[in-house]
Amino acid sequence: MRHLSSGPTLYSLLRASPRFYQVFLSRKEYLLAELARNQFPHTFANAWDAVKVSQFPRPIPPEIASDFVSTFMDDDSYLQPTLPLSTSIALCSFGANVQWFVHGFWADCLENIKRLGQLAGLRQDLAVLESPLSPIEFGRIQRALCRFATLACLITPHDDSDRGAYWRLGTRFLAAFNEDELEEIGCVRDYLIRRLWRVFDAIKDDAIQANESSPVWRMARAVPGRCWFSTSHPNYMDSMTILGLPFLREVFESKGMKRADLVMANSDARRRGIARILCSGNRGFADDDDLFDDGRFDGTADFTCDSLDDFSSGWLYANRGRLAAQHNRRSRKGYRDWGYVMLDHKRLIATGVLEKESAASTQ
């Protein structure tokens, strides 16, 4: 049981076997801690940070938040052999949400990659593109989601206290990461915005088919400020991204009036989102040309397996031509649409973009 990496799998096993259930009861703390670790094989430290911050008192006292930002990169408490039961349960719950978003993120990116291939006439290897995520790609997406969740908790004061202080904490948090890691967070943010566009469009479609005395219109008029339908929706979307992965998952899975109620009750354009703070964390492109002289793009080197600690092939490809999106881009279009910074070299080749670039350079 200690090798399982899924809560539903563990639950099914315990229901199927009374013997396993007795073993589980006798070693519950250990087995749940192992399950939590197995859910994040490469990124447990990032998950630990996200859950740790989520368990801080609300609003987070500035001194506690500041201490976390100052020490989280050197904190190795996640390595302890045993974990409190409440922490393991929180990690397992968080892991289930992250798993859900990993699959949703990649499904959305894969669809955009295929659409890019059709529009640009790319010769794509669909067998490779549609293959399961490699451990490194999975790890990059997990890492970005964990850091996104941590940042969202840090910059959400939950009261009328000094929002600027929390904003500065978020900037300090982002300062610990490399440029490509910031772009990973940006890819997650843009994916959430794309999904929220679909939710908002569905709510508008429902309202068009209803009369103005219907519940959806009454909720829209109750939104602080102006009617929900006459306010800038991108501002609402950006502000909603910091409300947490569990909330966003509930929005994405809900339908009809429940979906409209969740969205309108949490629409507050005054609440800052993550786009601006990502801009503040932007340190521009790398100036080290040695990053791009390793044979990765001219066929003289064989990069079949990237490391989670290395710059990804996708980021190097885009950054090599100074083409990558800035972290404060609000557009739904661009490299972030296909999660370029998450891709390993094999899948990047399968997109067809390298072959297209090579052909263009020889003409």
Side-chain angles (χ1 to χ4, degrees):
M1 284 190 288
R2 68 186 182 89
H3 298 294
L4 297 177
S5 59
S6 162
T9 303
L10 174 62
Y11 179 72
S12 297
L13 184 64
L14 298 182
R15 282 180 60 95
S17 171
R19 182 177 180 182
F20 278 125
Y21 181 67
Q22 292 301 319
V23 172
F24 173 77
L25 289 179
S26 65
R27 307 194 67 189
K28 180 162 53 177
E29 289 80 2
Y30 168 75
L31 290 172
L32 286 178
E34 289 302 297
L35 174 62
R37 289 190 172 93
N38 293 341
Q39 287 180 307
F40 299 95
H42 301 287
T43 58
F44 187 65
N46 305 119
W48 177 268
D49 290 336
V51 170
K52 182 177 181 179
V53 171
S54 72
Q55 294 179 334
F56 287 159
R58 298 293 174 181
I60 304 177
E63 61 275 10
I64 292 180
S66 180
D67 181 64
F68 168 81
V69 171
S70 299
T71 61
F72 81 98
M73 290 295 287
D74 299 317
D75 181 16
D76 60 358
S77 57
Y78 68 93
L79 296 174
Q80 57 188 294
T82 59
L83 303 175
L85 183 58
S86 59
T87 301
S88 295
I89 293 173
L91 281 164
C92 290
S93 177
F94 180 67
N97 274 319
V98 168
Q99 180 92 344
W100 189 88
F101 276 98
V102 167
H103 292 305
F105 174 91
W106 176 238
D108 183 79
C109 290
L110 181 58
E111 180 182 344
N112 290 333
I113 290 173
K114 292 179 179 178
R115 186 178 298 117
L116 172 69
Q118 294 171 351
L119 294 175
L122 303 179
R123 189 164 63 178
Q124 298 183 328
D125 187 339
L126 293 182
V128 174
L129 285 179
E130 295 175 351
S131 63
L133 291 168
S134 71
I136 300 304
E137 291 171 322
F138 192 87
R140 287 195 183 105
I141 302 172
Q142 271 197 333
R143 177 172 66 184
L145 285 163
C146 291
R147 289 171 172 175
F148 185 94
T150 305
L151 176 61
C153 282
L154 283 174
I155 66 174
T156 309
H158 297 280
D159 65 1
D160 294 329
S161 58
D162 182 7
R163 295 178 182 271
Y166 289 91
W167 209 249
R168 290 188 290 274
L169 284 170
T171 303
R172 286 172 53 200
F173 174 72
L174 291 178
F177 308 133
N178 294 326
E179 293 90 341
D180 62 317
E181 294 170 335
L182 291 176
E183 188 66 1
E184 289 175 356
I185 300 172
C187 281
V188 166
R189 181 262 174 193
D190 281 15
Y191 157 69
L192 295 174
I193 292 294
R194 290 196 301 274
R195 290 204 64 167
L196 284 171
W197 269 111
R198 297 169 200 158
V199 169
F200 278 47
D201 287 345
I203 293 174
K204 288 187 287 185
D205 289 344
D206 291 343
I208 291 173
Q209 299 175 29
N211 60 59
E212 294 197 10
S213 62
S214 65
V216 66
W217 279 96
R218 289 198 298 271
M219 287 189 294
R221 296 189 185 96
V223 173
R226 296 184 296 170
C227 174
W228 186 84
F229 291 111
S230 60
T231 307
S232 175
H233 288 173
N235 290 336
Y236 281 154
M237 294 176 199
D238 196 45
S239 68
M240 288 176 66
T241 59
I242 66 172
L243 296 182
L245 297 183
F247 167 78
L248 289 169
R249 179 176 178 179
E250 186 178 8
V251 169
F252 296 150
E253 291 185 324
S254 61
K255 304 291 182 182
M257 290 304 302
K258 179 181 179 181
R259 175 174 57 193
D261 185 37
L262 282 170
V263 169
M264 294 183 187
N266 291 279
S267 291
D268 185 356
R270 299 168 299 175
R271 183 175 53 232
R272 290 179 175 179
I274 282 180
R276 292 193 183 95
I277 198 169
L278 281 172
C279 177
S280 69
N282 179 15
R283 295 187 292 278
F285 296 113
D287 294 324
D288 184 1
D289 289 336
D290 290 341
L291 286 173
F292 313 111
D293 294 333
D294 55 11
R296 188 176 293 236
F297 298 104
D298 60 13
T300 61
D302 180 18
F303 285 86
T304 57
C305 181
D306 296 356
S307 166
L308 193 61
D309 296 326
D310 291 339
F311 290 109
S312 74
S313 290
W315 186 84
L316 286 176
Y317 157 71
N319 202 25
R320 175 171 172 261
R322 305 301 191 259
L323 301 172
Q326 296 295 310
H327 306 305
N328 62 334
R329 282 184 70 253
R330 290 176 175 269
S331 169
R332 287 182 286 168
K333 302 302 176 186
Y335 282 142
R336 285 184 181 176
D337 278 13
W338 44 282
Y340 77 102
V341 77
M342 311 295 189
L343 306 185
D344 62 20
H345 196 59
K346 183 178 181 181
R347 203 179 305 270
L348 180 65
I349 293 174
T351 65
V353 295
L354 298 186
E355 182 179 358
K356 183 81 170 181
E357 181 181 87
S358 176
S361 65
T362 59
Q363 292 178 355

